Amino acid sequence: MTFLTKLAIAASLATALTSTAMAADLVVGFSQIGSESGWRAAETSVTKLEAEKRGIDLKFADAQQKQENQIKAIRGFIAQGVNAILVAPVVATGWEDVLSEAKEANIPVILLDRGVDAPQDLYLTSVASDQVKEGHVAGQWLVDTVKDKDCKVVELQGTVGSTPAINRKKGFEDAIAGHANISIIRSQTGDFTRAKGKEVMEGFIKAENGGKDICAVYAHNDDMAVGAIQALKDAGLKPGTSPLVVSIDGVPDIFAAMVAGEANATVELTPNMAGPALDALDAYLKNGTMPAKFIITESKLYTPADNPQGEYDSRKGLGY
Ligand code: GZL
């Protein structure tokens, strides 16, 4: 073996060791919103898995839906001197001060699954779906399904002030805008939870004379849709037939509802925002590579024509 070959092997070994050592030394803080939905629980478990795969020491903080807890956790990460911070921001506003503090401390911040109203130089990148598109896909499915039939829609909104709630509402309204036969007659937040989705749906049924005239339920996430389905069944209605049920996330239980004929469409949201985020962080820390400011994940429509039992089976156990 020539001297040069030995040198090349030694160099590649050193690189491999350094990168593993670098990953092993990486400490990343993760400020998670909470565990309000099946999707959120899956995002948490996938993030922990992705960090473990990379030998990253992940410091996890559950904010229980409160922004002040997230801000406190981020300040704690800054004080600890972590190498980077992941944040799933519960609402869009109120982040400028704490993100500026992270920037002053030279700690890169990556946003996961929701956006913020703050200068873009305060975060390295944002990994999320195109939430306007998600709402539009849901609305377009309804337009294509009801055609010219009159359709009164009730809407279960996500957390007030969150980017998914704002954007999914806009996308759905854009899709139905040119169709006067389709109208949203009631709209209220169910805060992305099953319990609240059920409670708000019970209110809609009562306000709409037993709910027989409700043609469709549009829920900003599957958990609220599953709660609404329960309320509709309790009221003697037939969700999946009348009314139709369309939502977003692609959690196992919405596929189970499709198998039971109680749900009609969902727009899938991957729980793996952390994989692309940590890859971008690695390239940035190792080579100074600046990632795209927005890394957009896919949005795919699923209906009962797409083997819901198989989709249920493939997702069950992924931490939902
Ligand atoms: C959307 C994400 C939403 C999910 C909900 O990107 O923030 O939050 O759709 C979750 O299930 O509560």
Side-chain angles (χ1 to χ4, degrees):
M1 191 186 297
T2 66
F3 169 71
L4 275 181
T5 316
K6 282 184 187 151
L7 200 63
I9 291 170
S12 59
L13 263 179
T15 321
L17 281 174
T18 330
S19 58
T20 319
M22 245 184 80
D25 294 347
L26 263 190
V27 180
V28 174
F30 176 24
S31 169
Q32 176 60 298
I33 292 174
S35 50
E36 74 281 1
S37 70
W39 183 89
R40 181 70 55 197
E43 184 191 46
T44 294
S45 52
V46 168
T47 301
K48 289 177 177 173
L49 268 177
E50 290 296 322
E52 198 183 327
K53 257 163 60 177
R54 295 166 172 80
I56 289 170
D57 178 4
L58 189 77
K59 304 291 183 194
F60 179 76
D62 177 330
Q64 279 146 21
Q65 320 298 328
K66 292 187 174 65
Q67 182 177 29
E68 63 264 26
N69 291 345
Q70 289 199 277
I71 290 171
K72 226 180 282 165
I74 294 168
R75 288 191 167 125
F77 295 145
I78 294 169
Q80 281 172 43
V82 298
N83 300 100
I85 297 170
L86 305 179
V87 191
V90 60
V91 291
T93 56
W95 298 98
E96 199 153 335
D97 291 349
V98 73
L99 294 182
S100 301
E101 290 163 32
K103 188 176 172 74
E104 273 138 44
N106 223 354
I107 299 174
V109 172
I110 297 182
L111 306 180
L112 299 186
D113 84 79
R114 295 188 186 179
V116 296
D117 294 345
Q120 292 182 8
D121 67 338
L122 292 180
Y123 51 92
L124 180 66
T125 184
S126 161
V127 182
S129 57
D130 178 340
Q131 294 153 359
V132 173
K133 178 181 173 185
E134 291 169 329
H136 199 279
V137 168
Q140 190 59 51
W141 171 83
L142 187 63
V143 165
D144 297 342
T145 303
V146 303
K147 298 188 177 44
D148 299 335
K149 193 174 107 24
D150 277 352
C151 188
K152 291 177 180 170
V153 183
V154 293
E155 179 183 28
L156 293 166
Q157 295 184 36
T159 301
V160 176
S162 68
T163 49
I166 294 162
N167 295 333
R168 289 173 180 175
K169 180 168 190 52
K170 173 175 173 19
F172 187 87
E173 289 172 346
D174 291 350
I176 67 170
H179 304 270
N181 58 310
I182 303 175
S183 59
I184 298 174
I185 57 167
R186 294 192 183 271
S187 181
Q188 196 178 326
T189 182
D191 215 10
F192 283 132
T193 70
R194 284 188 194 201
K196 203 86 174 75
K198 179 171 184 285
E199 186 191 313
V200 172
M201 190 67 232
E202 286 162 351
F204 288 161
I205 291 166
K206 216 172 272 144
E208 289 297 324
N209 314 313
K212 274 185 285 310
D213 296 340
I214 297 172
C215 155
V217 178
Y218 167 49
H220 290 185
N221 83 330
D222 294 341
D223 280 65
M224 292 190 291
V226 169
I229 286 167
Q230 192 52 56
L232 291 159
K233 287 163 68 175
D234 293 349
L237 297 166
K238 265 189 82 41
T241 305
S242 174
L244 299 168
V245 178
V246 52
S247 55
I248 300 168
D249 276 355
V251 301
D253 284 351
I254 204 66
F255 291 107
M258 283 186 195
V259 171
E262 295 168 353
N264 305 90
T266 187
V267 184
E268 182 185 38
L269 173 71
T270 176
N272 188 1
M273 308 283 181
L278 295 175
D279 287 347
L281 177 66
D282 188 49
Y284 173 71
L285 292 178
K286 270 199 202 126
N287 325 313
T289 309
M290 286 308 286
K293 189 53 79 171
F294 297 96
I295 298 171
I296 309 292
T297 60
E298 287 301 302
S299 304
K300 184 167 180 261
L301 177 73
Y302 285 86
T303 71
D306 299 308
N307 180 18
Q309 186 59 55
E311 293 304 331
Y312 174 87
D313 295 341
S314 68
R315 287 165 172 77
K316 204 65 195 149
L318 278 183
Y320 285 98

mmCIF file of all heavy atoms in Angstrom, residues 33 36-40 112-114 128-129 131 134 159 164 168 191-192 220-223 248-249 269 273, ligand 1:
data_model
loop_
_atom_site.group_PDB
_atom_site.id
_atom_site.type_symbol
_atom_site.label_atom_id
_atom_site.label_comp_id
_atom_site.label_asym_id
_atom_site.label_seq_id
_atom_site.Cartn_x
_atom_site.Cartn_y
_atom_site.Cartn_z
ATOM 1 N N ILE A 33 -44.716 22.367 21.329
ATOM 2 C CA ILE A 33 -45.962 23.027 21.767
ATOM 3 C C ILE A 33 -46.609 22.257 22.916
ATOM 4 O O ILE A 33 -47.029 22.830 23.925
ATOM 5 C CB ILE A 33 -46.954 23.140 20.582
ATOM 6 C CG1 ILE A 33 -46.410 24.122 19.539
ATOM 7 C CG2 ILE A 33 -48.352 23.511 21.044
ATOM 8 C CD1 ILE A 33 -47.210 24.204 18.274
ATOM 9 N N GLU A 36 -51.287 18.084 21.973
ATOM 10 C CA GLU A 36 -52.712 18.346 21.719
ATOM 11 C C GLU A 36 -53.337 17.406 20.706
ATOM 12 O O GLU A 36 -54.571 17.290 20.663
ATOM 13 C CB GLU A 36 -52.901 19.812 21.281
ATOM 14 C CG GLU A 36 -52.443 20.132 19.873
ATOM 15 C CD GLU A 36 -50.919 20.308 19.737
ATOM 16 O OE1 GLU A 36 -50.198 20.159 20.734
ATOM 17 O OE2 GLU A 36 -50.468 20.578 18.608
ATOM 18 N N SER A 37 -52.514 16.760 19.876
ATOM 19 C CA SER A 37 -53.109 15.899 18.839
ATOM 20 C C SER A 37 -52.221 14.693 18.568
ATOM 21 O O SER A 37 -51.030 14.672 18.945
ATOM 22 C CB SER A 37 -53.267 16.706 17.542
ATOM 23 O OG SER A 37 -51.984 16.967 16.965
ATOM 24 N N GLY A 38 -52.812 13.716 17.873
ATOM 25 C CA GLY A 38 -52.028 12.544 17.501
ATOM 26 C C GLY A 38 -50.829 12.923 16.656
ATOM 27 O O GLY A 38 -49.721 12.409 16.832
ATOM 28 N N TRP A 39 -51.054 13.909 15.773
ATOM 29 C CA TRP A 39 -49.949 14.328 14.904
ATOM 30 C C TRP A 39 -48.815 14.918 15.738
ATOM 31 O O TRP A 39 -47.644 14.638 15.515
ATOM 32 C CB TRP A 39 -50.430 15.363 13.876
ATOM 33 C CG TRP A 39 -49.329 15.728 12.945
ATOM 34 C CD1 TRP A 39 -49.012 15.111 11.767
ATOM 35 C CD2 TRP A 39 -48.351 16.755 13.143
ATOM 36 N NE1 TRP A 39 -47.882 15.704 11.215
ATOM 37 C CE2 TRP A 39 -47.467 16.710 12.036
ATOM 38 C CE3 TRP A 39 -48.126 17.721 14.132
ATOM 39 C CZ2 TRP A 39 -46.392 17.589 11.905
ATOM 40 C CZ3 TRP A 39 -47.049 18.600 14.002
ATOM 41 C CH2 TRP A 39 -46.207 18.524 12.903
ATOM 42 N N ARG A 40 -49.153 15.733 16.722
ATOM 43 C CA ARG A 40 -48.124 16.368 17.554
ATOM 44 C C ARG A 40 -47.323 15.311 18.302
ATOM 45 O O ARG A 40 -46.087 15.400 18.382
ATOM 46 C CB ARG A 40 -48.794 17.338 18.540
ATOM 47 C CG ARG A 40 -47.851 18.083 19.439
ATOM 48 C CD ARG A 40 -47.014 19.105 18.724
ATOM 49 N NE ARG A 40 -47.803 20.061 17.958
ATOM 50 C CZ ARG A 40 -47.311 20.839 17.000
ATOM 51 N NH1 ARG A 40 -46.034 20.780 16.692
ATOM 52 N NH2 ARG A 40 -48.075 21.670 16.343
ATOM 53 N N LEU A 112 -40.176 24.553 13.347
ATOM 54 C CA LEU A 112 -40.793 23.309 12.873
ATOM 55 C C LEU A 112 -42.303 23.477 12.791
ATOM 56 O O LEU A 112 -42.924 23.982 13.726
ATOM 57 C CB LEU A 112 -40.486 22.150 13.838
ATOM 58 C CG LEU A 112 -39.019 21.755 14.062
ATOM 59 C CD1 LEU A 112 -38.966 20.501 14.940
ATOM 60 C CD2 LEU A 112 -38.294 21.507 12.756
ATOM 61 N N ASP A 113 -42.892 23.118 11.710
ATOM 62 C CA ASP A 113 -44.321 22.924 11.419
ATOM 63 C C ASP A 113 -45.237 24.121 11.540
ATOM 64 O O ASP A 113 -46.393 24.049 11.080
ATOM 65 C CB ASP A 113 -44.881 21.683 12.159
ATOM 66 C CG ASP A 113 -45.317 21.928 13.609
ATOM 67 O OD1 ASP A 113 -46.421 22.457 13.811
ATOM 68 O OD2 ASP A 113 -44.568 21.563 14.506
ATOM 69 N N ARG A 114 -44.763 25.199 12.104
ATOM 70 C CA ARG A 114 -45.568 26.428 12.119
ATOM 71 C C ARG A 114 -44.620 27.606 11.891
ATOM 72 O O ARG A 114 -43.415 27.494 12.122
ATOM 73 C CB ARG A 114 -46.308 26.624 13.455
ATOM 74 C CG ARG A 114 -47.367 25.548 13.718
ATOM 75 C CD ARG A 114 -48.215 25.854 14.935
ATOM 76 N NE ARG A 114 -49.121 24.729 15.218
ATOM 77 C CZ ARG A 114 -49.978 24.688 16.239
ATOM 78 N NH1 ARG A 114 -50.040 25.706 17.092
ATOM 79 N NH2 ARG A 114 -50.765 23.655 16.428
ATOM 80 N N ALA A 128 -41.849 23.242 7.219
ATOM 81 C CA ALA A 128 -43.309 23.134 7.416
ATOM 82 C C ALA A 128 -43.956 22.782 6.086
ATOM 83 O O ALA A 128 -43.322 22.855 5.032
ATOM 84 C CB ALA A 128 -43.867 24.469 7.944
ATOM 85 N N SER A 129 -45.236 22.426 6.175
ATOM 86 C CA SER A 129 -46.006 22.191 4.949
ATOM 87 C C SER A 129 -46.468 23.544 4.408
ATOM 88 O O SER A 129 -46.366 24.567 5.092
ATOM 89 C CB SER A 129 -47.234 21.336 5.299
ATOM 90 O OG SER A 129 -47.978 22.025 6.314
ATOM 91 N N GLN A 131 -49.392 25.347 4.218
ATOM 92 C CA GLN A 131 -50.685 25.183 4.889
ATOM 93 C C GLN A 131 -51.842 25.785 4.092
ATOM 94 O O GLN A 131 -52.976 25.313 4.159
ATOM 95 C CB GLN A 131 -50.609 25.778 6.305
ATOM 96 C CG GLN A 131 -49.650 24.991 7.186
ATOM 97 C CD GLN A 131 -49.031 25.810 8.291
ATOM 98 O OE1 GLN A 131 -49.299 27.008 8.416
ATOM 99 N NE2 GLN A 131 -48.193 25.191 9.097
ATOM 100 N N GLU A 134 -52.733 23.043 1.819
ATOM 101 C CA GLU A 134 -53.500 21.985 2.511
ATOM 102 C C GLU A 134 -54.981 22.351 2.535
ATOM 103 O O GLU A 134 -55.845 21.539 2.221
ATOM 104 C CB GLU A 134 -52.997 21.816 3.941
ATOM 105 C CG GLU A 134 -51.616 21.224 4.064
ATOM 106 C CD GLU A 134 -51.074 21.323 5.487
ATOM 107 O OE1 GLU A 134 -51.439 22.287 6.200
ATOM 108 O OE2 GLU A 134 -50.308 20.440 5.891
ATOM 109 N N THR A 159 -55.845 26.202 16.448
ATOM 110 C CA THR A 159 -55.542 27.159 17.525
ATOM 111 C C THR A 159 -55.565 28.591 17.003
ATOM 112 O O THR A 159 -54.916 28.893 16.002
ATOM 113 C CB THR A 159 -54.157 26.843 18.119
ATOM 114 O OG1 THR A 159 -54.190 25.500 18.626
ATOM 115 C CG2 THR A 159 -53.768 27.805 19.224
ATOM 116 N N PRO A 164 -51.097 27.488 10.998
ATOM 117 C CA PRO A 164 -51.945 26.508 10.307
ATOM 118 C C PRO A 164 -53.425 26.900 10.319
ATOM 119 O O PRO A 164 -54.126 26.714 9.321
ATOM 120 C CB PRO A 164 -51.710 25.195 11.050
ATOM 121 C CG PRO A 164 -50.988 25.538 12.289
ATOM 122 C CD PRO A 164 -50.317 26.835 12.065
ATOM 123 N N ARG A 168 -54.871 27.467 6.697
ATOM 124 C CA ARG A 168 -55.794 26.426 6.218
ATOM 125 C C ARG A 168 -57.184 27.006 5.971
ATOM 126 O O ARG A 168 -57.905 26.570 5.083
ATOM 127 C CB ARG A 168 -55.844 25.275 7.227
ATOM 128 C CG ARG A 168 -54.548 24.475 7.233
ATOM 129 C CD ARG A 168 -54.473 23.433 8.340
ATOM 130 N NE ARG A 168 -53.207 22.714 8.256
ATOM 131 C CZ ARG A 168 -52.812 21.819 9.142
ATOM 132 N NH1 ARG A 168 -53.588 21.515 10.181
ATOM 133 N NH2 ARG A 168 -51.640 21.212 9.020
ATOM 134 N N ASP A 191 -59.274 24.233 18.714
ATOM 135 C CA ASP A 191 -57.927 24.199 19.303
ATOM 136 C C ASP A 191 -57.127 22.941 18.974
ATOM 137 O O ASP A 191 -56.271 22.512 19.751
ATOM 138 C CB ASP A 191 -58.021 24.364 20.831
ATOM 139 C CG ASP A 191 -56.844 25.164 21.385
ATOM 140 O OD1 ASP A 191 -56.089 25.737 20.558
ATOM 141 O OD2 ASP A 191 -56.643 25.184 22.615
ATOM 142 N N PHE A 192 -57.431 22.310 17.843
ATOM 143 C CA PHE A 192 -56.712 21.133 17.344
ATOM 144 C C PHE A 192 -56.910 19.881 18.229
ATOM 145 O O PHE A 192 -56.182 18.911 18.061
ATOM 146 C CB PHE A 192 -55.208 21.415 17.217
ATOM 147 C CG PHE A 192 -54.833 22.244 16.005
ATOM 148 C CD1 PHE A 192 -53.995 23.340 16.145
ATOM 149 C CD2 PHE A 192 -55.294 21.920 14.729
ATOM 150 C CE1 PHE A 192 -53.625 24.109 15.030
ATOM 151 C CE2 PHE A 192 -54.925 22.682 13.617
ATOM 152 C CZ PHE A 192 -54.094 23.771 13.776
ATOM 153 N N HIS A 220 -59.598 21.613 10.617
ATOM 154 C CA HIS A 220 -58.192 21.936 10.334
ATOM 155 C C HIS A 220 -57.250 20.815 10.765
ATOM 156 O O HIS A 220 -56.076 20.862 10.414
ATOM 157 C CB HIS A 220 -57.785 23.241 11.030
ATOM 158 C CG HIS A 220 -58.432 24.461 10.434
ATOM 159 N ND1 HIS A 220 -58.120 25.731 10.846
ATOM 160 C CD2 HIS A 220 -59.395 24.613 9.484
ATOM 161 C CE1 HIS A 220 -58.839 26.619 10.164
ATOM 162 N NE2 HIS A 220 -59.635 25.961 9.343
ATOM 163 N N ASN A 221 -57.702 19.874 11.553
ATOM 164 C CA ASN A 221 -56.895 18.654 11.755
ATOM 165 C C ASN A 221 -57.778 17.452 12.030
ATOM 166 O O ASN A 221 -58.954 17.584 12.385
ATOM 167 C CB ASN A 221 -55.832 18.857 12.839
ATOM 168 C CG ASN A 221 -56.379 18.661 14.261
ATOM 169 O OD1 ASN A 221 -57.552 18.913 14.534
ATOM 170 N ND2 ASN A 221 -55.516 18.226 15.163
ATOM 171 N N ASP A 222 -57.200 16.262 11.860
ATOM 172 C CA ASP A 222 -57.976 15.012 11.985
ATOM 173 C C ASP A 222 -58.520 14.818 13.393
ATOM 174 O O ASP A 222 -59.602 14.250 13.571
ATOM 175 C CB ASP A 222 -57.083 13.807 11.641
ATOM 176 C CG ASP A 222 -56.653 13.781 10.181
ATOM 177 O OD1 ASP A 222 -57.302 14.445 9.351
ATOM 178 O OD2 ASP A 222 -55.660 13.083 9.877
ATOM 179 N N ASP A 223 -57.760 15.258 14.403
ATOM 180 C CA ASP A 223 -58.241 15.024 15.768
ATOM 181 C C ASP A 223 -59.577 15.723 16.025
ATOM 182 O O ASP A 223 -60.494 15.138 16.591
ATOM 183 C CB ASP A 223 -57.186 15.497 16.785
ATOM 184 C CG ASP A 223 -56.091 14.456 16.947
ATOM 185 O OD1 ASP A 223 -55.366 14.220 15.957
ATOM 186 O OD2 ASP A 223 -55.980 13.854 18.031
ATOM 187 N N ILE A 248 -57.263 17.387 7.882
ATOM 188 C CA ILE A 248 -55.836 17.460 7.513
ATOM 189 C C ILE A 248 -54.986 16.766 8.578
ATOM 190 O O ILE A 248 -55.361 16.811 9.764
ATOM 191 C CB ILE A 248 -55.407 18.945 7.383
ATOM 192 C CG1 ILE A 248 -56.248 19.643 6.287
ATOM 193 C CG2 ILE A 248 -53.911 19.072 7.074
ATOM 194 C CD1 ILE A 248 -56.135 21.159 6.266
ATOM 195 N N ASP A 249 -53.960 16.133 8.253
ATOM 196 C CA ASP A 249 -52.905 15.476 9.049
ATOM 197 C C ASP A 249 -52.585 14.070 8.551
ATOM 198 O O ASP A 249 -51.428 13.700 8.485
ATOM 199 C CB ASP A 249 -53.250 15.385 10.558
ATOM 200 C CG ASP A 249 -52.892 16.657 11.334
ATOM 201 O OD1 ASP A 249 -52.295 17.577 10.738
ATOM 202 O OD2 ASP A 249 -53.205 16.719 12.549
ATOM 203 N N LEU A 269 -49.949 15.261 6.440
ATOM 204 C CA LEU A 269 -48.876 16.141 6.931
ATOM 205 C C LEU A 269 -47.816 15.237 7.549
ATOM 206 O O LEU A 269 -48.120 14.475 8.474
ATOM 207 C CB LEU A 269 -49.438 17.087 7.996
ATOM 208 C CG LEU A 269 -48.421 17.959 8.733
ATOM 209 C CD1 LEU A 269 -47.868 19.039 7.821
ATOM 210 C CD2 LEU A 269 -49.069 18.594 9.961
ATOM 211 N N MET A 273 -40.567 16.593 10.460
ATOM 212 C CA MET A 273 -39.980 17.888 10.119
ATOM 213 C C MET A 273 -38.522 17.921 10.605
ATOM 214 O O MET A 273 -37.683 18.632 10.075
ATOM 215 C CB MET A 273 -40.761 19.012 10.813
ATOM 216 C CG MET A 273 -42.265 18.967 10.595
ATOM 217 S SD MET A 273 -42.671 19.581 8.965
ATOM 218 C CE MET A 273 -44.467 19.435 8.989
HETATM 219 C C1 GZL B 1 -49.617 21.863 11.407
HETATM 220 C C2 GZL B 1 -49.455 21.555 12.892
HETATM 221 C C3 GZL B 1 -50.795 21.265 13.505
HETATM 222 C C4 GZL B 1 -51.383 19.899 13.151
HETATM 223 C C5 GZL B 1 -52.205 19.614 14.363
HETATM 224 O O1 GZL B 1 -48.381 22.043 10.797
HETATM 225 O O2 GZL B 1 -48.865 22.655 13.533
HETATM 226 O O3 GZL B 1 -50.658 21.268 14.927
HETATM 227 O O4 GZL B 1 -52.159 19.914 11.968
HETATM 228 C C6 GZL B 1 -51.284 20.085 15.470
HETATM 229 O O5 GZL B 1 -52.584 18.265 14.520
HETATM 230 O O6 GZL B 1 -51.978 20.378 16.624
#
